[in-house]
mmCIF file with all atom_site columns, all heavy atoms in Angstrom:
data_model
loop_
_atom_site.group_PDB
_atom_site.id
_atom_site.type_symbol
_atom_site.label_atom_id
_atom_site.label_alt_id
_atom_site.label_comp_id
_atom_site.label_asym_id
_atom_site.label_entity_id
_atom_site.label_seq_id
_atom_site.pdbx_PDB_ins_code
_atom_site.Cartn_x
_atom_site.Cartn_y
_atom_site.Cartn_z
_atom_site.occupancy
_atom_site.B_iso_or_equiv
_atom_site.pdbx_formal_charge
_atom_site.auth_seq_id
_atom_site.auth_comp_id
_atom_site.auth_asym_id
_atom_site.auth_atom_id
_atom_site.pdbx_PDB_model_num
ATOM 1  N N   . GLN H 1 203 ? 22.626 21.182 -0.645 1.00 86.00 ? 612 GLN H N   1
ATOM 2  C CA  . GLN H 1 203 ? 21.688 21.813 0.290  1.00 86.00 ? 612 GLN H CA  1
ATOM 3  C C   . GLN H 1 203 ? 22.312 23.017 0.974  1.00 86.00 ? 612 GLN H C   1
ATOM 4  O O   . GLN H 1 203 ? 21.703 24.070 1.098  1.00 86.00 ? 612 GLN H O   1
ATOM 5  C CB  . GLN H 1 203 ? 21.243 20.831 1.392  1.00 86.00 ? 612 GLN H CB  1
ATOM 6  C CG  . GLN H 1 203 ? 20.242 19.820 0.924  1.00 86.00 ? 612 GLN H CG  1
ATOM 7  C CD  . GLN H 1 203 ? 20.934 18.504 0.574  1.00 86.00 ? 612 GLN H CD  1
ATOM 8  O OE1 . GLN H 1 203 ? 22.030 18.505 -0.003 1.00 86.00 ? 612 GLN H OE1 1
ATOM 9  N NE2 . GLN H 1 203 ? 20.309 17.403 0.919  1.00 86.00 ? 612 GLN H NE2 1
ATOM 10 N N   . THR H 1 204 ? 23.541 22.820 1.454  1.00 83.00 ? 613 THR H N   1
ATOM 11 C CA  . THR H 1 204 ? 24.204 23.920 2.151  1.00 83.00 ? 613 THR H CA  1
ATOM 12 C C   . THR H 1 204 ? 24.410 25.099 1.210  1.00 83.00 ? 613 THR H C   1
ATOM 13 O O   . THR H 1 204 ? 24.261 26.252 1.608  1.00 83.00 ? 613 THR H O   1
ATOM 14 C CB  . THR H 1 204 ? 25.553 23.444 2.714  1.00 83.00 ? 613 THR H CB  1
ATOM 15 O OG1 . THR H 1 204 ? 25.349 22.190 3.327  1.00 83.00 ? 613 THR H OG1 1
ATOM 16 C CG2 . THR H 1 204 ? 26.086 24.419 3.725  1.00 83.00 ? 613 THR H CG2 1
ATOM 17 N N   . ARG H 1 205 ? 24.744 24.802 -0.029 1.00 87.00 ? 614 ARG H N   1
ATOM 18 C CA  . ARG H 1 205 ? 24.925 25.898 -0.993 1.00 87.00 ? 614 ARG H CA  1
ATOM 19 C C   . ARG H 1 205 ? 23.648 26.715 -1.110 1.00 87.00 ? 614 ARG H C   1
ATOM 20 O O   . ARG H 1 205 ? 23.663 27.936 -1.074 1.00 87.00 ? 614 ARG H O   1
ATOM 21 C CB  . ARG H 1 205 ? 25.266 25.346 -2.382 1.00 87.00 ? 614 ARG H CB  1
ATOM 22 C CG  . ARG H 1 205 ? 26.636 24.757 -2.467 1.00 87.00 ? 614 ARG H CG  1
ATOM 23 C CD  . ARG H 1 205 ? 26.899 24.290 -3.873 1.00 87.00 ? 614 ARG H CD  1
ATOM 24 N NE  . ARG H 1 205 ? 27.067 25.411 -4.780 1.00 87.00 ? 614 ARG H NE  1
ATOM 25 C CZ  . ARG H 1 205 ? 26.873 25.345 -6.086 1.00 87.00 ? 614 ARG H CZ  1
ATOM 26 N NH1 . ARG H 1 205 ? 26.476 24.222 -6.642 1.00 87.00 ? 614 ARG H NH1 1
ATOM 27 N NH2 . ARG H 1 205 ? 27.072 26.389 -6.832 1.00 87.00 ? 614 ARG H NH2 1
ATOM 28 N N   . ILE H 1 206 ? 22.530 25.993 -1.239 1.00 89.00 ? 615 ILE H N   1
ATOM 29 C CA  . ILE H 1 206 ? 21.265 26.705 -1.421 1.00 89.00 ? 615 ILE H CA  1
ATOM 30 C C   . ILE H 1 206 ? 20.944 27.532 -0.185 1.00 89.00 ? 615 ILE H C   1
ATOM 31 O O   . ILE H 1 206 ? 20.474 28.668 -0.278 1.00 89.00 ? 615 ILE H O   1
ATOM 32 C CB  . ILE H 1 206 ? 20.149 25.700 -1.752 1.00 89.00 ? 615 ILE H CB  1
ATOM 33 C CG1 . ILE H 1 206 ? 20.384 25.184 -3.180 1.00 89.00 ? 615 ILE H CG1 1
ATOM 34 C CG2 . ILE H 1 206 ? 18.769 26.342 -1.622 1.00 89.00 ? 615 ILE H CG2 1
ATOM 35 C CD1 . ILE H 1 206 ? 19.517 24.033 -3.580 1.00 89.00 ? 615 ILE H CD1 1
ATOM 36 N N   . ARG H 1 207 ? 21.283 26.992 0.985  1.00 86.00 ? 616 ARG H N   1
ATOM 37 C CA  . ARG H 1 207 ? 21.028 27.746 2.203  1.00 86.00 ? 616 ARG H CA  1
ATOM 38 C C   . ARG H 1 207 ? 21.899 28.994 2.232  1.00 86.00 ? 616 ARG H C   1
ATOM 39 O O   . ARG H 1 207 ? 21.451 30.074 2.632  1.00 86.00 ? 616 ARG H O   1
ATOM 40 C CB  . ARG H 1 207 ? 21.331 26.871 3.415  1.00 86.00 ? 616 ARG H CB  1
ATOM 41 C CG  . ARG H 1 207 ? 20.139 26.836 4.345  1.00 86.00 ? 616 ARG H CG  1
ATOM 42 C CD  . ARG H 1 207 ? 20.116 25.572 5.108  1.00 86.00 ? 616 ARG H CD  1
ATOM 43 N NE  . ARG H 1 207 ? 20.614 25.748 6.455  1.00 86.00 ? 616 ARG H NE  1
ATOM 44 C CZ  . ARG H 1 207 ? 21.166 24.734 7.147  1.00 86.00 ? 616 ARG H CZ  1
ATOM 45 N NH1 . ARG H 1 207 ? 21.317 23.554 6.596  1.00 86.00 ? 616 ARG H NH1 1
ATOM 46 N NH2 . ARG H 1 207 ? 21.550 24.927 8.370  1.00 86.00 ? 616 ARG H NH2 1
ATOM 47 N N   . ILE H 1 208 ? 23.122 28.836 1.827  1.00 86.00 ? 617 ILE H N   1
ATOM 48 C CA  . ILE H 1 208 ? 24.000 30.000 1.827  1.00 86.00 ? 617 ILE H CA  1
ATOM 49 C C   . ILE H 1 208 ? 23.522 31.034 0.814  1.00 86.00 ? 617 ILE H C   1
ATOM 50 O O   . ILE H 1 208 ? 23.556 32.237 1.079  1.00 86.00 ? 617 ILE H O   1
ATOM 51 C CB  . ILE H 1 208 ? 25.463 29.569 1.607  1.00 86.00 ? 617 ILE H CB  1
ATOM 52 C CG1 . ILE H 1 208 ? 25.910 28.909 2.904  1.00 86.00 ? 617 ILE H CG1 1
ATOM 53 C CG2 . ILE H 1 208 ? 26.351 30.746 1.235  1.00 86.00 ? 617 ILE H CG2 1
ATOM 54 C CD1 . ILE H 1 208 ? 27.323 28.496 2.971  1.00 86.00 ? 617 ILE H CD1 1
ATOM 55 N N   . TRP H 1 209 ? 23.015 30.583 -0.305 1.00 90.00 ? 618 TRP H N   1
ATOM 56 C CA  . TRP H 1 209 ? 22.437 31.531 -1.263 1.00 90.00 ? 618 TRP H CA  1
ATOM 57 C C   . TRP H 1 209 ? 21.304 32.310 -0.612 1.00 90.00 ? 618 TRP H C   1
ATOM 58 O O   . TRP H 1 209 ? 21.152 33.505 -0.836 1.00 90.00 ? 618 TRP H O   1
ATOM 59 C CB  . TRP H 1 209 ? 21.900 30.795 -2.495 1.00 90.00 ? 618 TRP H CB  1
ATOM 60 C CG  . TRP H 1 209 ? 22.968 30.220 -3.374 1.00 90.00 ? 618 TRP H CG  1
ATOM 61 C CD1 . TRP H 1 209 ? 24.322 30.431 -3.245 1.00 90.00 ? 618 TRP H CD1 1
ATOM 62 C CD2 . TRP H 1 209 ? 22.779 29.367 -4.487 1.00 90.00 ? 618 TRP H CD2 1
ATOM 63 N NE1 . TRP H 1 209 ? 24.982 29.739 -4.231 1.00 90.00 ? 618 TRP H NE1 1
ATOM 64 C CE2 . TRP H 1 209 ? 24.079 29.081 -5.005 1.00 90.00 ? 618 TRP H CE2 1
ATOM 65 C CE3 . TRP H 1 209 ? 21.673 28.806 -5.106 1.00 90.00 ? 618 TRP H CE3 1
ATOM 66 C CZ2 . TRP H 1 209 ? 24.263 28.263 -6.109 1.00 90.00 ? 618 TRP H CZ2 1
ATOM 67 C CZ3 . TRP H 1 209 ? 21.873 27.999 -6.211 1.00 90.00 ? 618 TRP H CZ3 1
ATOM 68 C CH2 . TRP H 1 209 ? 23.157 27.725 -6.710 1.00 90.00 ? 618 TRP H CH2 1
ATOM 69 N N   . ASP H 1 210 ? 20.506 31.587 0.183  1.00 89.00 ? 619 ASP H N   1
ATOM 70 C CA  . ASP H 1 210 ? 19.399 32.268 0.861  1.00 89.00 ? 619 ASP H CA  1
ATOM 71 C C   . ASP H 1 210 ? 19.910 33.348 1.808  1.00 89.00 ? 619 ASP H C   1
ATOM 72 O O   . ASP H 1 210 ? 19.374 34.453 1.846  1.00 89.00 ? 619 ASP H O   1
ATOM 73 C CB  . ASP H 1 210 ? 18.542 31.265 1.639  1.00 89.00 ? 619 ASP H CB  1
ATOM 74 C CG  . ASP H 1 210 ? 17.676 30.434 0.701  1.00 89.00 ? 619 ASP H CG  1
ATOM 75 O OD1 . ASP H 1 210 ? 17.449 30.893 -0.445 1.00 89.00 ? 619 ASP H OD1 1
ATOM 76 O OD2 . ASP H 1 210 ? 17.246 29.334 1.092  1.00 89.00 ? 619 ASP H OD2 1
#
Side-chain angles (χ1 to χ4, degrees):
Chain H
Q612 284 98 321
T613 315
R614 289 182 71 203
I615 288 170
R616 233 152 101 206
I617 287 184
W618 290 352
D619 286 339

